[in-house]
Amino acid sequence: MEWSWSVAYDVMPRLAAGLVVTVQATLVGALVAYVLGLALAILKMSPCRLVAWSSYWSSEFVRRTPLLVQLYFLFYVLPDLGIFLEPFAAGVIGLGLHFSTYTSEVFRAGIENVPKGQWEAARSLNYSTIQTWRHVVLPQAIPPMIPPLANYLITMFKETPLLAAITVVELFNAANIYSNSHYKYLEPMTLVGTFFLLVSIPAAALAIRLENAFRRKA
């Protein structure tokens, strides 16, 4: 088995296109995960026990089941119920739903770390609930959340090869299609690993710097 630069050059445009899809799926999926995660965190802290209990156990159900199974359900099972999703949409929803259960815990911990005196001060100023969250709670709660949220973003990026199971032509699937049609696996798969490293390592280093920065401020 020898490395062939001609094969590497031939597959590179397909991998570049697949990388674009991978990054898009990661960013959109992260946006869904962050928005749903924040909403889920608020529901978990609801004074209504039924709402808090339902939110907690639905979150646990999603977290304790494999992402791959969830992707299959969204793409292959929902059509039996009359719900049809494009592969990319199903992949983004799957990533977002799955990782929202993790980000919700980050948001919940950050919100609960805001001193109770801050809530009382907001009430003494006659802030509405929305004003309290917007001007008092979230500005203090979100900065310490940035490092763990960045780590989940990196993890989501590395989980995107699972989208190949629902026919999304992301980075891994682009290499896999080429390899199966040309019977060349060394170059495409090596390049896939290289692409993931080139993106993940700087992103992880940035997450560490953010974490250290917030520790120094604490």
Side-chain angles (χ1 to χ4, degrees):
M1 182 180 294
E2 295 182 358
W3 178 271
S4 173
W5 284 108
S6 62
V7 172
Y9 291 138
D10 187 41
V11 74
M12 190 67 72
R14 303 189 189 194
L15 297 185
L19 179 61
V20 171
V21 176
T22 293
V23 172
Q24 290 174 339
T26 302
L27 295 179
V28 178
L31 178 61
V32 173
Y34 294 157
V35 172
L36 290 181
L38 178 58
L40 190 56
I42 294 172
L43 291 175
K44 287 181 178 180
M45 295 184 294
S46 172
C48 176
R49 288 188 177 183
L50 179 60
V51 173
W53 183 86
S54 301
S55 301
Y56 173 80
W57 284 109
S58 60
S59 174
E60 286 300 299
F61 174 80
V62 174
R63 189 190 307 188
R64 304 305 176 187
T65 53
L67 174 58
L68 183 59
V69 174
Q70 296 165 13
L71 291 172
Y72 264 76
F73 186 90
L74 289 169
F75 190 66
Y76 294 109
V77 177
L78 287 186
D80 293 337
L81 304 176
I83 302 174
F84 297 87
L85 297 173
E86 294 293 327
F88 184 83
V92 166
I93 293 172
L95 287 172
L97 285 175
H98 187 81
F99 281 94
S100 69
T101 62
Y102 294 94
T103 59
S104 68
E105 288 302 304
V106 176
F107 284 119
R108 184 186 60 79
I111 292 170
E112 289 183 344
N113 282 333
V114 175
K116 292 183 178 180
Q118 297 294 315
W119 297 83
E120 296 170 355
R123 283 195 294 268
S124 68
L125 293 173
N126 293 322
Y127 276 14
S128 66
T129 302
I130 295 177
Q131 288 176 322
T132 300
W133 280 97
R134 180 178 178 183
H135 299 293
V136 179
V137 178
L138 292 181
Q140 298 180 68
I142 288 180
M145 302 176 189
I146 293 178
L149 291 178
N151 286 328
Y152 281 127
L153 178 65
I154 297 170
T155 302
M156 191 182 303
F157 173 71
K158 293 189 293 184
E159 292 293 328
T160 53
L162 291 176
L163 302 186
I166 58 172
T167 72
V168 177
V169 186
E170 40 66 60
L171 180 58
F172 170 78
N173 202 15
N176 193 46
I177 292 172
Y178 181 93
S179 297
N180 290 335
S181 61
H182 293 77
Y183 301 101
K184 298 289 185 179
Y185 293 90
L186 173 62
E187 296 82 3
M189 294 305 168
T190 301
L191 290 172
V192 166
T194 302
F195 275 126
F196 273 103
L197 284 173
L198 290 176
V199 175
S200 297
I201 291 178
L206 178 60
I208 292 173
R209 291 189 63 181
L210 287 172
E211 184 175 3
N212 292 334
F214 284 119
R215 283 180 177 176
R216 287 195 295 269
K217 290 181 180 180

